Amino acid sequence: MKMLIIMNKFTINIDFDGTATTHEYPLVGKDIGAQKVLKKLTDNGHQLILFTMRSGKELTDAIKWFKQNNIPLYGIQTNPTQSAWTSSPKSLADLILDDSALGCPLKFDLSLSIRPFVDWEKVEKMLIDIGYL
């Protein structure tokens, strides 16, 4: 089944440790090939929000990594537009890239929504396959 892309620009929450680099906290980890893909995303108009557990100096180091790799950040820990309509601490994004994410499968059904939504039948099978259910 071909995926129908409704929007042409996405906002993406991106984790840092284990996602943009290897896990080396509190240090900045090693290259795992993220720079090339993240740069392509931003070059194509997508917006990245650094969404990490890092704080203080460690957060500053992660921000520097993005700057050193010429990858612009749209936001840090939050979507800069959402404060106009919500006080929620959850950062609004169309996609989350995180090494701890399940890899959530999505369904596209325009009779229900113009945006994709979770395919819970596939999620359940994934949870069974990895031994969580």
Coordinates of all heavy atoms in Angstrom, one line a residue, residues 47-108:
Q47 N 11.0 20.6 10.2 CA 11.5 21.3 11.4 C 11.9 20.3 12.5 O 11.0 19.5 12.8 CB 10.5 22.3 11.9 CG 10.1 23.3 10.8 CD 8.8 24.1 11.2 OE1 7.9 23.5 11.7 NE2 8.9 25.4 11.1
L48 N 13.1 20.4 13.1 CA 13.5 19.5 14.1 C 13.4 20.2 15.5 O 13.8 21.4 15.6 CB 14.9 19.1 13.9 CG 15.2 18.4 12.6 CD1 16.7 18.0 12.5 CD2 14.3 17.1 12.4
I49 N 12.9 19.5 16.4 CA 12.8 19.9 17.8 C 13.7 18.9 18.6 O 13.4 17.7 18.6 CB 11.4 20.0 18.4 CG1 10.6 21.0 17.6 CG2 11.4 20.3 19.9 CD1 9.1 20.9 18.0
L50 N 14.8 19.4 19.2 CA 15.6 18.6 20.1 C 14.7 18.3 21.3 O 14.3 19.2 22.1 CB 16.9 19.3 20.5 CG 17.8 18.5 21.4 CD1 18.1 17.2 20.9 CD2 19.0 19.3 21.7
F51 N 14.5 17.0 21.5 CA 13.6 16.6 22.6 C 14.3 15.5 23.4 O 14.2 14.3 23.0 CB 12.3 16.1 22.0 CG 11.1 16.0 23.0 CD1 10.7 17.1 23.7 CD2 10.4 14.8 23.1 CE1 9.7 17.0 24.6 CE2 9.3 14.7 24.0 CZ 9.0 15.9 24.7
T52 N 15.0 15.9 24.4 CA 15.9 15.0 25.1 C 15.8 15.1 26.6 O 15.3 16.1 27.1 CB 17.4 15.3 24.7 OG1 18.3 14.5 25.4 CG2 17.7 16.8 24.9
M53 N 16.3 14.1 27.3 CA 16.4 14.2 28.8 C 17.5 15.1 29.3 O 17.6 15.4 30.4 CB 16.5 12.8 29.4 CG 15.3 12.0 29.3 SD 13.9 12.6 30.2 CE 14.5 12.5 31.9
R54 N 18.4 15.5 28.4 CA 19.6 16.3 28.7 C 19.1 17.7 29.3 O 18.2 18.2 28.8 CB 20.5 16.5 27.5 CG 21.3 15.3 27.2 CD 22.1 15.5 25.9 NE 23.0 14.4 25.7 CZ 24.4 14.4 25.9 NH1 25.0 15.6 26.1 NH2 25.1 13.4 25.7
S55 N 19.9 18.2 30.2 CA 19.7 19.6 30.7 C 21.1 20.2 31.0 O 22.1 19.5 31.0 CB 18.8 19.5 31.9 OG 19.4 18.8 33.0
G56 N 21.1 21.5 31.3 CA 22.3 22.1 31.7 C 23.4 22.0 30.6 O 23.1 22.2 29.4
K57 N 24.6 21.8 31.1 CA 25.8 21.7 30.2 C 25.6 20.6 29.1 O 25.9 20.8 28.0 CB 27.0 21.5 31.0 CG 28.3 21.4 30.1 CD 29.5 20.8 30.8 CE 30.7 20.7 29.9 NZ 30.5 20.0 28.7
E58 N 25.0 19.5 29.6 CA 24.8 18.4 28.6 C 23.8 18.7 27.5 O 24.0 18.3 26.4 CB 24.3 17.1 29.4 CG 25.4 16.5 30.3 CD 25.6 17.3 31.6 OE1 24.7 18.1 32.0 OE2 26.6 17.1 32.3
L59 N 22.8 19.5 27.8 CA 21.9 20.0 26.8 C 22.6 20.9 25.9 O 22.5 20.9 24.6 CB 20.6 20.6 27.4 CG 19.6 21.2 26.4 CD1 19.1 20.2 25.5 CD2 18.5 21.9 27.2
T60 N 23.4 21.8 26.4 CA 24.2 22.8 25.6 C 25.1 22.0 24.7 O 25.2 22.4 23.5 CB 25.0 23.7 26.5 OG1 24.0 24.5 27.4 CG2 25.8 24.7 25.7
D61 N 25.7 21.0 25.1 CA 26.6 20.2 24.3 C 25.8 19.5 23.1 O 26.3 19.5 22.0 CB 27.3 19.1 25.1 CG 28.3 19.6 26.1 OD1 28.7 20.8 26.0 OD2 28.7 18.8 27.0
A62 N 24.6 19.1 23.4 CA 23.8 18.5 22.3 C 23.4 19.6 21.3 O 23.5 19.3 20.1 CB 22.5 17.8 22.9
I63 N 23.0 20.8 21.7 CA 22.7 21.9 20.9 C 23.9 22.2 20.0 O 23.8 22.4 18.8 CB 22.2 23.1 21.7 CG1 20.9 22.7 22.4 CG2 22.1 24.3 20.8 CD1 20.5 23.7 23.4
K64 N 25.1 22.2 20.6 CA 26.3 22.5 19.8 C 26.5 21.5 18.7 O 27.0 21.8 17.6 CB 27.5 22.5 20.8 CG 27.7 23.8 21.6 CD 28.9 23.7 22.5 CE 29.0 24.8 23.5 NZ 30.1 24.7 24.4
W65 N 26.2 20.2 19.0 CA 26.4 19.2 18.0 C 25.6 19.5 16.8 O 26.0 19.3 15.6 CB 26.0 17.8 18.6 CG 26.1 16.7 17.6 CD1 27.2 15.8 17.5 CD2 25.1 16.2 16.7 NE1 26.9 14.9 16.5 CE2 25.6 15.1 16.0 CE3 23.8 16.6 16.4 CZ2 24.9 14.4 15.1 CZ3 23.1 15.9 15.5 CH2 23.7 14.8 14.8
F66 N 24.3 19.9 17.0 CA 23.5 20.3 15.8 C 24.1 21.5 15.1 O 24.1 21.5 13.8 CB 22.0 20.6 16.3 CG 21.2 19.4 16.5 CD1 21.2 18.8 17.8 CD2 20.5 18.8 15.5 CE1 20.5 17.6 18.0 CE2 19.7 17.6 15.8 CZ 19.7 17.1 17.0
K67 N 24.5 22.5 15.8 CA 25.1 23.7 15.1 C 26.4 23.3 14.4 O 26.6 23.7 13.2 CB 25.5 24.7 16.2 CG 24.3 25.4 16.7 CD 24.6 26.5 17.7 CE 23.4 27.2 18.3 NZ 23.6 28.1 19.3
Q68 N 27.3 22.4 15.0 CA 28.5 22.0 14.3 C 28.2 21.2 13.0 O 29.0 21.2 12.1 CB 29.3 21.2 15.3 CG 29.9 22.0 16.4 CD 30.6 21.1 17.5 OE1 30.3 19.9 17.6 NE2 31.4 21.8 18.3
N69 N 27.1 20.6 13.0 CA 26.7 19.8 11.8 C 25.8 20.5 10.9 O 25.2 19.9 9.9 CB 26.1 18.4 12.3 CG 27.1 17.5 12.8 OD1 27.9 17.0 12.0 ND2 27.2 17.3 14.1
N70 N 25.6 21.8 11.1 CA 24.8 22.7 10.2 C 23.3 22.1 10.1 O 22.7 22.1 9.0 CB 25.4 22.9 8.9 CG 26.7 23.6 8.9 OD1 26.8 24.6 9.7 ND2 27.7 23.1 8.2
I71 N 22.8 21.7 11.2 CA 21.4 21.2 11.3 C 20.6 22.1 12.1 O 20.8 22.2 13.4 CB 21.4 19.7 11.9 CG1 22.3 18.8 11.0 CG2 19.9 19.2 11.9 CD1 22.5 17.5 11.7
P72 N 19.8 23.0 11.5 CA 19.0 23.9 12.3 C 18.0 23.3 13.2 O 17.3 22.3 12.8 CB 18.4 24.8 11.2 CG 18.3 24.0 10.0 CD 19.5 23.0 10.1
L73 N 17.8 23.8 14.4 CA 16.8 23.4 15.3 C 15.6 24.4 15.3 O 15.8 25.6 15.4 CB 17.3 23.2 16.7 CG 18.3 22.0 16.9 CD1 18.9 22.1 18.3 CD2 17.5 20.7 16.7
Y74 N 14.4 23.9 15.1 CA 13.2 24.7 15.2 C 12.9 25.0 16.7 O 12.4 26.1 17.0 CB 12.1 24.0 14.5 CG 10.7 24.6 14.6 CD1 10.5 25.9 14.0 CD2 9.7 24.0 15.2 CE1 9.3 26.5 14.1 CE2 8.4 24.6 15.3 CZ 8.2 25.8 14.7 OH 7.0 26.4 14.8
G75 N 13.2 24.1 17.5 CA 12.9 24.2 18.9 C 13.8 23.3 19.8 O 14.4 22.4 19.3
I76 N 13.8 23.7 21.1 CA 14.6 22.9 22.0 C 13.6 22.5 23.2 O 13.2 23.4 23.9 CB 15.8 23.7 22.5 CG1 16.7 24.0 21.3 CG2 16.5 22.9 23.6 CD1 17.8 25.0 21.6
Q77 N 13.3 21.3 23.3 CA 12.5 20.7 24.3 C 11.0 21.0 24.2 O 10.2 20.5 24.9 CB 12.9 21.1 25.8 CG 14.4 20.7 26.0 CD 14.7 19.2 26.1 OE1 14.4 18.5 25.2 NE2 15.3 18.8 27.2
T78 N 10.6 21.9 23.3 CA 9.2 22.3 23.1 C 9.0 22.9 21.7 O 10.0 23.4 21.1 CB 8.8 23.3 24.2 OG1 7.4 23.5 24.1 CG2 9.4 24.6 24.0
N79 N 7.8 22.8 21.2 CA 7.4 23.4 20.0 C 7.2 24.9 20.2 O 6.3 25.2 21.1 CB 6.2 22.7 19.4 CG 5.8 23.2 18.0 OD1 5.8 24.4 17.8 ND2 5.4 22.3 17.2
P80 N 7.9 25.8 19.6 CA 7.8 27.2 19.9 C 6.4 27.8 19.7 O 6.1 28.9 20.2 CB 8.9 27.9 19.1 CG 9.2 26.9 18.1 CD 8.9 25.5 18.6
T81 N 5.6 27.2 18.9 CA 4.3 27.7 18.6 C 3.2 27.3 19.5 O 2.1 27.9 19.6 CB 3.8 27.4 17.1 OG1 3.7 25.9 17.1 CG2 4.9 27.8 16.1
Q82 N 3.4 26.2 20.3 CA 2.3 25.7 21.0 C 1.9 26.5 22.3 O 0.8 26.3 22.8 CB 2.5 24.2 21.4 CG 3.5 24.0 22.5 CD 3.8 22.5 22.6 OE1 4.2 21.8 21.6 NE2 3.7 22.0 23.8
S83 N 2.8 27.3 22.8 CA 2.4 28.1 24.0 C 1.3 29.0 23.7 O 0.6 29.5 24.7 CB 3.6 28.9 24.5 OG 4.0 29.8 23.6
A84 N 1.0 29.3 22.5 CA -0.2 30.2 22.1 C -1.5 29.5 22.4 O -2.5 30.2 22.5 CB -0.1 30.7 20.7
W85 N -1.5 28.2 22.4 CA -2.8 27.5 22.6 C -2.9 26.4 23.6 O -3.9 25.8 23.9 CB -3.3 27.0 21.2 CG -2.3 26.1 20.5 CD1 -1.3 26.5 19.7 CD2 -2.2 24.7 20.6 NE1 -0.6 25.5 19.3 CE2 -1.1 24.3 19.8 CE3 -2.9 23.8 21.3 CZ2 -0.7 23.0 19.7 CZ3 -2.5 22.4 21.1 CH2 -1.4 22.1 20.3
T86 N -1.7 26.1 24.3 CA -1.7 25.1 25.3 C -0.6 25.3 26.3 O 0.4 25.9 25.9 CB -1.6 23.6 24.7 OG1 -1.7 22.7 25.8 CG2 -0.3 23.4 24.0
S87 N -0.8 24.8 27.5 CA 0.3 24.9 28.5 C 0.9 23.5 28.7 O 1.6 23.2 29.6 CB -0.2 25.4 29.8 OG -1.3 24.6 30.3
S88 N 0.5 22.5 27.9 CA 1.0 21.2 28.0 C 2.5 21.1 27.9 O 3.1 21.7 27.0 CB 0.4 20.3 26.9 OG 1.0 19.0 26.9
P89 N 3.2 20.3 28.7 CA 4.6 20.2 28.6 C 5.1 19.2 27.4 O 6.2 19.2 27.1 CB 5.1 19.6 29.9 CG 3.8 18.8 30.4 CD 2.7 19.6 29.9
K90 N 4.1 18.5 26.9 CA 4.4 17.6 25.8 C 4.6 18.4 24.5 O 3.8 19.2 24.1 CB 3.3 16.6 25.5 CG 3.6 15.6 24.4 CD 2.5 14.5 24.3 CE 2.9 13.6 23.2 NZ 1.8 12.6 23.0
S91 N 5.8 18.2 23.8 CA 6.1 18.9 22.6 C 5.3 18.4 21.4 O 5.4 17.2 21.1 CB 7.6 18.8 22.4 OG 8.0 19.4 21.2
L92 N 4.6 19.3 20.8 CA 3.8 18.9 19.6 C 4.7 18.6 18.4 O 5.6 19.4 18.1 CB 2.8 20.1 19.2 CG 2.1 19.8 18.0 CD1 1.0 18.7 18.1 CD2 1.4 21.1 17.6
A93 N 4.5 17.5 17.8 CA 5.3 17.1 16.6 C 4.5 16.1 15.8 O 3.6 15.5 16.3 CB 6.6 16.5 17.0
D94 N 4.8 16.1 14.5 CA 4.1 15.1 13.6 C 4.8 13.7 13.7 O 4.2 12.7 13.3 CB 4.2 15.6 12.2 CG 3.6 17.0 12.0 OD1 2.4 17.1 12.3 OD2 4.3 17.9 11.6
L95 N 6.0 13.7 14.2 CA 6.8 12.5 14.2 C 7.8 12.6 15.4 O 8.3 13.7 15.6 CB 7.5 12.3 12.9 CG 8.4 11.0 12.7 CD1 7.5 9.8 12.6 CD2 9.2 11.2 11.4
I96 N 8.1 11.5 16.0 CA 9.1 11.4 17.0 C 10.2 10.4 16.6 O 9.8 9.2 16.3 CB 8.5 11.0 18.4 CG1 7.5 12.1 18.9 CG2 9.6 10.8 19.4 CD1 6.7 11.7 20.1
L97 N 11.4 10.8 16.6 CA 12.5 9.9 16.3 C 13.3 9.7 17.6 O 13.9 10.6 18.2 CB 13.5 10.5 15.3 CG 12.9 10.7 13.9 CD1 13.9 11.4 13.0 CD2 12.5 9.4 13.3
D98 N 13.2 8.5 18.1 CA 13.8 8.2 19.4 C 14.2 6.7 19.5 O 13.4 5.8 19.1 CB 12.7 8.5 20.5 CG 13.3 8.5 21.9 OD1 14.1 7.6 22.3 OD2 12.9 9.3 22.7
D99 N 15.4 6.4 19.9 CA 15.8 5.0 20.0 C 15.0 4.2 20.9 O 14.9 3.0 20.8 CB 17.3 5.0 20.4 CG 17.5 5.5 21.8 OD1 17.1 6.7 22.1 OD2 18.1 4.8 22.6
S100 N 14.2 4.8 21.8 CA 13.4 4.0 22.7 C 11.9 3.9 22.2 O 11.1 3.3 22.9 CB 13.4 4.6 24.1 OG 12.8 5.9 24.1
A101 N 11.7 4.4 21.0 CA 10.3 4.3 20.5 C 10.1 2.9 19.9 O 11.0 2.3 19.5 CB 10.1 5.4 19.4
L102 N 8.8 2.5 19.9 CA 8.5 1.2 19.4 C 8.6 1.1 17.9 O 8.8 0.0 17.4 CB 7.0 0.9 19.9 CG 6.4 -0.4 19.5 CD1 7.3 -1.6 20.1 CD2 5.0 -0.5 20.0
G103 N 8.5 2.2 17.2 CA 8.4 2.1 15.8 C 7.0 1.9 15.3 O 6.6 1.0 14.6
C104 N 6.2 2.8 15.8 CA 4.8 2.7 15.8 C 4.2 2.6 14.3 O 4.4 3.6 13.6 CB 4.2 3.9 16.5 SG 2.5 3.7 16.9
P105 N 3.6 1.6 14.0 CA 3.0 1.5 12.6 C 1.7 2.4 12.6 O 1.0 2.5 13.5 CB 2.6 0.0 12.5 CG 2.4 -0.5 13.8 CD 3.4 0.3 14.7
L106 N 1.5 2.9 11.4 CA 0.4 3.9 11.2 C -0.6 3.4 10.2 O -0.2 2.6 9.3 CB 0.9 5.2 10.8 CG 1.9 5.9 11.8 CD1 2.4 7.2 11.2 CD2 1.2 6.1 13.1
K107 N -1.8 3.8 10.3 CA -2.9 3.6 9.3 C -3.2 4.9 8.6 O -3.2 5.9 9.2 CB -4.2 3.1 10.0 CG -4.2 1.6 10.2 CD -5.6 1.3 10.8 CE -5.9 -0.2 10.9 NZ -7.2 -0.5 11.4
F108 N -3.6 4.8 7.3 CA -4.1 5.9 6.6 C -5.5 5.6 6.1 O -5.7 4.6 5.3 CB -3.2 6.2 5.4 CG -1.8 6.6 5.7 CD1 -0.8 5.6 6.0 CD2 -1.4 7.9 5.8 CE1 0.5 6.0 6.4 CE2 -0.2 8.3 6.2 CZ 0.8 7.3 6.5

